[in-house]
Amino acid sequence: MLQKEVQMKPKSLIILNSIIIILTVFIVSGCNSNNTIQNLDNKTQKTTITFAAIEAQRAEYAALIAEFEVQNPDIDVKFVNLAVDPSNMIGFATQADAIALPVVPVGSDAYTYLDIQPLAETDSSFDQGGYLPGIMDGCQVDERQIGLPYTASLQVIYYNRDIFDAAGIAYPQPDWTWEEFRLKAINLTKRNGQEVEQYGFVNLSSMVRLLGTMLNRDLMISDEEEKAGALEKTLSSYLNLVQLGYVRVPQAGEYPEDLESLIYDGKAAMWLDGLFRLEDYRNALGEQIGILPVPEGTRATARCLAISAGSVQPQAAWRLIKYLSEQDGPFVLPNEFSAHKAQFQNNVNRQSFSDEEQAVLKAALDNAWYGTHWLFATLNQEFDNVLADQKDLKTTLLSVLQLTPPEQEESFEPPFAFEVRSTPDDIPPGAAHVKFSGGYQLNSEVLEAMLKEFNQSQSNYYIDRNVSQEEADCFIGYQSENHPETYYPLTPLIEGDAESIALVGDLPANVLESTRYNGEILGIPLTTLTIVMYYDPVLLEQAGLEPPSADWTFTEFWEYVQSAKQEGIYGFGLGPGAIKMIFDTMNTPWGDESGDVPIYSFNTPEVKQTTKFLLKMQYEGVIPELDIDIGDKYWTWRQNILSGKTAFWMNITTSYLNEELKYEPGILPLPGYTQKPTIDGVLTFFISKNSSYPIGCWDWFKYFSGNPSVYQGIPLRSSILNSSDYEMVVGTEMASLYRNIIDQLAETPIEEKGRDTAYLKTGPEFWFLTTLGELKYGEGLDIPLQTVQFKSEAYLTCMLNMDGTPGENYQTCMKLVDPDS
């Protein structure tokens, strides 16, 4: 039986970081439902159910499902790629009988999932005591148990041992108290006059995540006057730390991530963040970064396995989620742990922590809280108002405590359309089952609607998106230079069909030719991503600059970025491909990559001259460190952009980073420079050599590829790119910019060496860029660049003498040449 914790009445929160990290790995697709089939060998009924999870975890779940089916021979489980839209929780529940939820639903959305309490109560083999303390709360919504937890992730206090040592202050112990935290925050703060040079604590999260346990304790007091007094005491203690400068929190207009520079600059003794960031912090700051539980109680988050309210096989689904909840993963974020005690103890990752850190993890999980009080969100908002001097704390608390709990959500009865979607077993009689995979750089919602329209508009084919690329009849992906034999030749489908001939003629000839092999067209290029120049219009205005024109030159670019430099603001923040663009545009390429094997020349006088110029620009504050977007420094590069510290920067056209900006950035083509397009940068439609229905695939492709609304990358078909409908989708300015980019691409030879060959460049370019990042203006360049040249030649020798593909060997060769890589 699932026990309810008395001290918490949880409503689960949607965790934003989980959503940003989940959105960067999903391959969106459809789903199956359940049915029952007859096993003719043993004459027993076999129940078929579907299970949905993110595509990236298919392989891990496949192994678990196989073992489950061995232990439960009466159940057959079909894996479904989870199509994710965090704003549509009902959409999750329509995709399968059982679902590994990316986020926990709130409000009426929770009623799209079964309350599994009755299933647990009637299962004598279920033992709630086998799970981590309190973790069941993490899968409760409005006192309904909508799932079983399978992983737990923690918020922790990070601390910098070097700062503690310098101050002569002992490290805290896992059982430390709020008073100990308060004193250490005070004693670790350093000032220069009135200016704080080092904060005792930086809060990258919310107030309630730090004080949640104490606030919940105070809110449980029955006497209203006593409750108000207790809350005032708790909040005043924290408020004083903030107002006196011992604790730094985001100010008006700031985001929590805006404060990360304080941590990376060694100006924060302690800070609150998720345990999944541990490696980021240690890679950037070293092993001196320690972890501690949050004093009095740590905020934790559970990931949940739920059963769709539309399932007609809840018992079979219950057996599956119970089994999966008792396993060691799969995990979505680094340093997540199994929700099951036995698996937690045996977890290899947990055992990799030191004994001291394992004690911290145990203390944190033993005292973790997973739910949230209904007043927490209001308290958090009102506390921010107090910080902004808009309200008095005592008056605010009295007002908040007058609020009444929200009414319980009424039971939600899912409509008929909520039923788990039909499966390929239910395709129309006589229709061929065509398996299709893909959707990256396409609008998934539009694609899904078009798929339904296509299936309804004809009876010859049923297009099914619930497949992996490996099993698909046709798919959208990147071309492999090493395996042309895996593609079905499209030439026979094109010849003699006026619509197909027109479609092919609609593409830049050089792009289409890149997919031709032995005279046969193997794929149809759909979209491309390209790197562009972004700018912050506010920073340009502050510098008294008008935005550049789209045909600006490289000389004009340097004039702009030097003029845009201000105190604490870089004129050019670099970005993907920036260093190569600069060397190429200044006619000082660091190598010749035209042949099958690149030839590098990192220590030539020309390369040294450009390197000196870049180091001078860095010294003058025009640009940041030259490897700013490499490895762990990527977070600093990203933060520079988000916090308004760079006027220009380079990035891909559909970067998720744009969605986090507080303004609409300007976009321009690269100045006087055209990137050489490669086959692995063009998303292409292919038909598998093993497809049974190539004509069905081709008809489906012609159907969806003509819709301007389906594209998120830059469409390569001229009629789409130049249409008024496409202008309506992306806007006139963006359409014009994209047309200029494709015009440049059409005039540039396609680099037909793809992703596998690109691994020949991985080691040399990594060593060159990281070496540039270590150099200082005025230092000698001969030895560092000679070292890069030596490593590069040794790397290429290794790669050319290894069996297998470059993609399989590059990491081994990098380690052999430079064990620190």
Side-chain angles (χ1 to χ4, degrees):
M1 180 175 177
L2 304 187
Q3 303 294 327
K4 308 280 196 304
E5 295 291 338
V6 174
Q7 68 181 41
M8 286 286 184
K9 294 184 183 291
K11 266 192 176 181
S12 301
L13 296 174
I14 295 178
I15 307 303
L16 180 60
N17 285 341
S18 300
I19 293 174
I20 293 174
I21 293 168
I22 291 168
L23 286 176
T24 59
V25 298
F26 287 157
I27 299 175
V28 190
S29 60
C31 36
N32 290 333
S33 76
N34 48 15
N35 58 31
T36 303
I37 62 175
Q38 182 76 24
N39 186 317
L40 299 178
D41 292 331
N42 55 23
K43 307 298 182 183
T44 61
Q45 289 288 339
K46 197 167 189 180
T47 299
T48 298
I49 60 173
T50 50
F51 171 70
I54 61 175
E55 170 66 15
Q57 294 178 329
R58 174 186 284 267
E60 292 176 274
Y61 274 118
L64 293 174
I65 288 171
E67 179 58 31
F68 172 80
E69 290 175 334
V70 170
Q71 297 181 23
N72 299 268
D74 58 325
I75 300 177
D76 182 40
V77 181
K78 301 297 185 185
F79 182 90
V80 170
N81 305 335
L82 184 65
V84 175
D85 177 0
S87 65
N88 181 14
M89 299 303 294
I90 292 179
F92 289 149
T94 63
Q95 296 183 40
D97 296 286
I99 306 101
L101 292 176
V103 292
V104 177
V106 295
S108 61
D109 286 344
Y111 289 85
T112 62
Y113 305 95
L114 288 184
D115 182 349
I116 63 171
Q117 181 77 33
L119 293 167
E121 290 175 347
T122 56
D123 185 348
S124 60
S125 67
F126 178 70
D127 177 18
Q128 182 184 343
Y131 295 82
L132 297 174
I135 196 170
M136 289 295 170
D137 292 349
C139 299
Q140 283 185 6
V141 182
D142 293 340
E143 299 187 356
R144 296 178 72 251
Q145 191 74 37
I146 58 94
L148 287 178
Y150 69 102
T151 70
S153 58
L154 289 166
Q155 293 271 311
V156 294
I157 300 288
Y158 289 91
Y159 69 100
N160 190 322
R161 291 189 180 95
D162 286 351
I163 294 178
F164 273 74
D165 292 343
I169 295 176
Y171 307 149
Q173 296 302 304
D175 60 351
W176 64 329
T177 64
W178 171 256
E179 181 60 17
E180 289 176 292
F181 167 85
R182 192 183 69 84
L183 291 174
K184 290 190 186 300
I186 292 171
N187 292 329
L188 289 163
T189 299
K190 291 174 61 177
R191 302 178 190 273
N192 183 2
Q194 296 299 312
E195 182 180 353
V196 178
E197 292 186 333
Q198 174 183 289
Y199 289 94
F201 179 74
V202 171
N203 196 348
L204 297 179
S205 191
S206 65
M207 175 272 292
V208 295
R209 292 199 174 186
L210 180 66
L211 306 179
T213 299
M214 294 184 289
L215 293 175
N216 187 71
R217 174 200 63 203
D218 297 342
L219 287 166
M220 296 298 291
I221 298 173
S222 57
D223 182 85
E224 293 300 318
E225 185 176 346
E226 184 181 348
K227 179 191 298 184
L231 281 170
E232 184 180 5
K233 180 179 178 181
T234 297
L235 290 172
S236 293
S237 177
Y238 180 61
L239 179 63
N240 289 338
L241 291 175
V242 176
Q243 291 177 331
L244 295 173
Y246 300 114
V247 169
R248 178 74 157 83
V249 298
Q251 307 296 322
E254 286 184 326
Y255 290 100
E257 57 264 27
D258 294 336
L259 306 186
E260 287 186 4
S261 60
L262 295 172
I263 296 167
Y264 291 120
D265 292 342
K267 296 179 180 179
M270 301 181 290
W271 61 96
L272 177 66
D273 206 344
L275 185 60
F276 71 93
R277 295 290 307 278
L278 178 60
E279 295 308 312
D280 294 336
Y281 288 129
R282 285 187 171 167
N283 286 336
L285 298 169
E287 292 299 314
Q288 74 268 22
I289 302 304
I291 55 172
L292 289 162
V294 176
E296 312 292 347
T298 294
R299 175 74 166 105
T301 304
R303 296 193 187 277
C304 306
L305 298 157
I307 300 174
S308 170
S311 174
V312 296
Q313 301 290 353
Q315 287 289 347
W318 162 254
R319 286 161 62 185
L320 175 65
I321 69 168
K322 183 181 71 170
Y323 169 82
L324 293 176
S325 72
E326 296 170 348
Q327 307 309 309
D328 191 26
F331 303 106
V332 176
L333 294 173
N335 296 324
E336 286 187 338
F337 300 104
S338 172
H340 203 261
K341 288 180 181 177
Q343 296 293 354
F344 172 74
Q345 290 298 324
N346 296 326
N347 179 266
V348 173
N349 182 46
R350 183 193 72 84
Q351 293 174 351
S352 70
F353 284 82
S354 67
D355 291 344
E356 174 189 344
E357 290 168 338
Q358 289 188 42
V360 168
L361 297 177
K362 183 178 186 305
L365 288 167
D366 284 349
N367 296 285
W369 58 279
Y370 294 84
T372 182
H373 194 283
W374 64 271
L375 271 178
F376 274 8
T378 302
L379 276 172
N380 215 48
Q381 181 61 52
E382 293 300 324
F383 185 80
D384 287 344
N385 291 334
V386 171
L387 281 177
D389 293 326
Q390 296 178 7
K391 291 187 176 181
D392 170 72
L393 178 60
K394 187 170 185 177
T395 304
T396 297
L397 286 176
L398 291 174
S399 175
V400 169
L401 292 176
Q402 296 300 312
L403 299 175
T404 56
E407 293 184 8
Q408 187 86 6
E409 294 277 358
E410 293 184 6
S411 181
F412 174 77
E413 293 296 333
F416 175 77
F418 170 74
E419 291 181 0
V420 177
R421 297 175 188 167
S422 60
T423 72
D425 297 320
D426 302 320
I427 63 177
H433 177 200
V434 180
K435 301 174 183 178
F436 168 70
S437 173
Y440 179 57
Q441 293 187 32
L442 299 179
N443 185 312
S444 183
E445 184 177 339
V446 174
L447 189 65
E448 184 70 23
M450 295 192 72
L451 184 147
K452 290 179 180 179
E453 291 172 0
F454 181 81
N455 285 340
Q456 293 169 0
S457 66
Q458 48 76 50
S459 58
N460 294 325
Y461 306 104
Y462 180 94
I463 308 299
D464 172 24
R465 287 183 69 197
N466 178 39
V467 295
S468 65
Q469 182 171 311
E470 291 72 23
E471 60 183 324
D473 290 287
C474 40
F475 58 92
I476 297 172
Y478 295 105
Q479 183 173 347
S480 169
E481 61 185 312
N482 292 330
H483 302 288
E485 72 281 357
T486 61
Y487 306 123
Y488 182 92
L490 303 182
T491 308
L493 298 172
I494 297 169
E495 293 176 344
D497 178 27
E499 181 184 0
S500 299
I501 293 172
L503 188 158
V504 169
D506 207 14
L507 296 164
N510 62 332
V511 178
L512 180 66
E513 285 302 307
S514 70
T515 69
R516 195 183 295 273
Y517 182 76
N518 288 342
E520 296 281 3
I521 295 174
L522 300 182
I524 302 296
L526 271 176
T527 70
T528 185
L529 291 179
T530 189
I531 294 176
V532 294
M533 187 71 69
Y534 291 94
Y535 64 87
D536 184 331
V538 175
L539 294 182
L540 261 60
E541 184 178 354
Q542 289 177 1
L545 298 171
E546 293 290 332
S549 62
D551 60 351
W552 61 333
T553 66
F554 191 66
T555 300
E556 291 173 327
F557 161 73
W558 277 113
E559 292 173 353
Y560 261 97
V561 299
Q562 291 181 76
S563 299
K565 175 200 169 295
Q566 303 173 54
E567 183 66 31
I569 295 173
Y570 298 111
F572 179 41
L574 303 178
I579 300 299
K580 181 168 177 55
M581 178 194 76
I582 293 170
F583 275 84
D584 287 351
T585 309
M586 296 182 74
N587 296 314
T588 56
W590 57 58
D592 179 3
E593 299 172 355
S594 61
D596 291 337
V597 179
I599 301 172
Y600 288 107
S601 305
F602 290 116
N603 58 345
T604 64
E606 294 79 13
V607 170
K608 291 175 186 176
Q609 180 181 0
T610 300
T611 301
K612 287 180 181 178
F613 170 75
L614 286 174
L615 292 174
K616 183 175 185 290
M617 291 294 98
Q618 177 184 317
Y619 177 76
E620 293 177 353
V622 176
I623 59 176
E625 295 175 82
L626 298 178
D627 60 343
I628 190 69
D629 63 324
I630 302 296
D632 299 312
K633 291 187 179 180
Y634 163 82
W635 294 103
T636 304
W637 171 79
R638 174 182 178 276
Q639 189 58 34
N640 285 344
I641 296 168
L642 292 176
S643 58
K645 295 181 180 178
T646 180
F648 291 89
W649 68 96
M650 287 167 56
N651 207 352
I652 60 173
T653 48
T654 57
S655 171
Y656 285 117
L657 186 63
N658 297 343
E659 299 173 9
E660 300 181 52
L661 291 171
K662 305 169 190 176
Y663 58 88
E664 187 73 26
I667 307 179
L668 292 163
L670 298 180
Y673 181 73
T674 302
Q675 281 188 295
K676 192 172 186 180
T678 63
I679 62 171
D680 68 327
V682 176
L683 205 64
T684 304
F685 173 83
F686 297 103
I687 298 177
S688 169
K689 183 75 171 181
N690 299 320
S691 174
S692 301
Y693 308 107
I695 296 177
C697 282
W698 186 246
D699 286 351
W700 161 236
F701 171 70
K702 291 190 294 182
Y703 185 82
F704 79 78
S705 65
N707 186 344
S709 299
V710 82
Y711 295 93
Q712 287 186 326
I714 305 176
L716 292 170
R717 291 182 59 176
S718 177
S719 63
I720 300 290
L721 188 62
N722 292 291
S723 69
S724 58
D725 288 343
Y726 184 67
E727 281 193 10
M728 292 179 64
V729 174
V730 300
T732 303
E733 290 186 8
M734 293 303 299
S736 177
L737 171 65
Y738 290 163
R739 288 163 189 158
N740 288 337
I741 290 171
I742 297 303
D743 286 345
Q744 290 179 344
L745 182 146
E747 298 170 1
T748 308
I750 294 284
E751 174 57 78
E752 298 192 20
K753 295 189 295 296
R755 188 162 299 182
D756 283 339
T757 301
Y759 285 115
L760 293 174
K761 301 184 290 186
T762 301
E765 294 189 2
F766 172 80
W767 289 315
F768 182 57
L769 293 176
T770 52
T771 297
L772 292 183
E774 295 169 356
L775 293 171
K776 303 298 181 185
Y777 181 54
E779 290 182 349
L781 302 180
D782 290 345
I783 293 177
L785 294 182
Q786 287 171 8
T787 302
V788 173
Q789 183 70 27
F790 171 79
K791 288 181 180 179
S792 300
E793 293 172 357
Y795 173 82
L796 289 173
T797 300
C798 174
M799 291 287 281
L800 296 174
N801 285 281
M802 294 280 280
D803 294 330
T805 67
E808 296 168 342
N809 298 326
Y810 79 99
Q811 290 179 320
T812 299
C813 286
M814 285 185 71
K815 288 293 184 183
L816 286 172
V817 174
D818 183 357
D820 294 329
S821 296

